[in-house]
Amino acid sequence: MPASTHESPPTVAGLDLERTRRRVRMGRAGMWASLAAGPLALAFVVTQPSVRVVAQSAPAPVRTTQTSVAVDPGGYAAEFVDAWLRSDAGQPDSSFAVRAQQLGPDVLLPEPAKGAKAPQRVSAVRSVRGAHGQWSVTVAVQDAGQVRYFAVPLAASSSAGAVTVTGTPALVAGPGAVKAAASPYTVDVPDGPLTETVGDFLSAYLSGSGEVERYLAPRTRLTAVTPAVADRVGLESVSAREKTAAGEQVPGDSTRVHVQVSVTAQSAAGRWPLSYELTLAARGGRWEIAALTSGGGEEQ
């Protein structure tokens, strides 16, 4: 009889052999992957009879929120008050009335007396931000030799690109006086090397009489006021934080002191009292200007 073309069914031994081959192939694949991943992963594969791979979903992206800084709409409040004070309810088509109603559609217009003077100057002096884009802006109005203050309620987008005055302005009292902190400049500085340097420096700084650079410490950069604002500068007083500043002799190099100087600047335009805060450093037996403080910051 011709030989049968059908393959013999696999025996138990054959099945075991095939399973062993598959495990070897899987083991080799895992080993090569572990070699790429590092020694610890290789050790894990060698000690484990089989590797189970569990698919995990990728973590959700972390969203970061940036807090936007709202733009102060104080300028629009000042513009509204200026137009509002110049408008007249009896002339709703005037340019001032139209502008006031554009910024505050529901705000009533005033009825000024005949011959009433227009405001000379309008400026926003204080802005307070509330919730949901609400603002309260205090506006100072100067006219007829007096100053009045109006509080303006408005709503604004974060960029102040969209603004609406939400109510009629309120006439409010001006700011009160706050008790100032005691001055740290408690040491009176008599005439001497320090006051001479300070006087000469401020004379050059304000009147242009002399070179400012000759009074400056190394790496200090200051330029004279241009154009010059004084024909003559008079030194009135000098006070310091440190007692060293009041000494008759210049101390050792690198000694620094902080002083407050009062001067009088005179020109054809008048006489003006001025005050400066300076830092001086000792070097080579003389005082030099190391910094000029203006409005809480240092110019050097």
Side-chain angles (χ1 to χ4, degrees), residues 6-247:
H6 297 285
E7 295 181 359
S8 301
T11 63
V12 173
L15 290 174
D16 290 340
L17 180 59
E18 183 62 23
R19 291 194 189 100
T20 301
R21 289 174 178 172
R22 285 200 298 268
R23 288 176 183 174
V24 171
R25 286 195 296 268
M26 292 176 64
R28 288 175 178 174
M31 183 175 295
W32 287 115
S34 300
L35 284 173
L40 291 179
L42 177 60
F44 177 80
V45 171
V46 171
T47 57
Q48 298 298 321
S50 62
V51 178
R52 183 184 180 189
V53 179
V54 179
Q56 296 182 348
S57 58
V62 179
R63 296 182 179 180
T64 59
T65 57
Q66 295 181 348
T67 304
S68 59
V69 179
V71 178
D72 185 349
Y76 287 108
E79 181 186 357
F80 167 78
V81 170
D82 184 72
W84 185 73
L85 290 174
R86 295 172 185 271
S87 64
D88 189 334
Q91 301 177 10
D93 296 330
S94 70
S95 60
F96 296 116
V98 170
R99 182 53 180 156
Q101 290 175 332
Q102 286 176 339
L103 290 170
D106 299 325
V107 178
L108 297 176
L109 298 179
E111 298 179 16
K114 187 176 181 180
K117 293 184 178 180
Q120 297 174 339
R121 183 177 181 181
V122 179
S123 57
V125 295
R126 181 172 180 263
S127 298
V128 178
R129 185 185 180 188
H132 309 297
Q134 302 298 310
W135 291 78
S136 177
V137 180
T138 302
V139 175
V141 178
Q142 181 179 353
D143 55 3
Q146 63 180 353
V147 179
R148 295 178 291 166
Y149 294 89
F150 292 88
V152 183
L154 54 82
S157 62
S158 59
S159 64
V163 176
T164 299
V165 176
T166 58
T168 305
L171 187 60
V172 297
V178 65
K179 185 177 180 180
S183 173
Y185 300 98
T186 57
V187 179
D188 292 329
V189 181
D191 292 342
L194 188 146
T195 57
E196 183 179 353
T197 296
V198 167
D200 291 345
F201 163 71
L202 289 176
S203 180
Y205 184 72
L206 295 172
S207 67
S209 59
E211 297 179 359
V212 172
E213 291 77 10
R214 64 180 296 186
Y215 305 104
L216 303 181
R219 295 181 296 279
T220 300
R221 300 290 180 266
L222 288 171
T223 56
V225 176
T226 305
V229 295
D231 299 327
R232 185 173 59 184
V233 177
L235 184 64
E236 300 297 329
S237 65
V238 180
S239 55
R241 297 183 191 175
E242 302 86 0
K243 293 182 179 181
T244 308

Side-chain angles (χ1 to χ4, degrees), residues 203-297:
S203 180
Y205 184 72
L206 295 172
S207 67
S209 59
E211 297 179 359
V212 172
E213 291 77 10
R214 64 180 296 186
Y215 305 104
L216 303 181
R219 295 181 296 279
T220 300
R221 300 290 180 266
L222 288 171
T223 56
V225 176
T226 305
V229 295
D231 299 327
R232 185 173 59 184
V233 177
L235 184 64
E236 300 297 329
S237 65
V238 180
S239 55
R241 297 183 191 175
E242 302 86 0
K243 293 182 179 181
T244 308
E248 295 181 359
Q249 302 295 326
V250 179
D253 289 3
S254 301
T255 301
R256 296 170 75 91
V257 296
H258 304 80
V259 301
Q260 185 176 60
V261 186
S262 295
V263 297
T264 300
Q266 292 182 285
S267 69
R271 183 173 179 270
W272 310 96
L274 303 172
S275 179
Y276 293 89
E277 291 180 288
L278 303 170
T279 301
L280 287 90
R283 186 174 72 97
R286 75 184 193 117
W287 287 107
E288 297 175 328
I289 307 298
L292 182 153
T293 302
S294 177

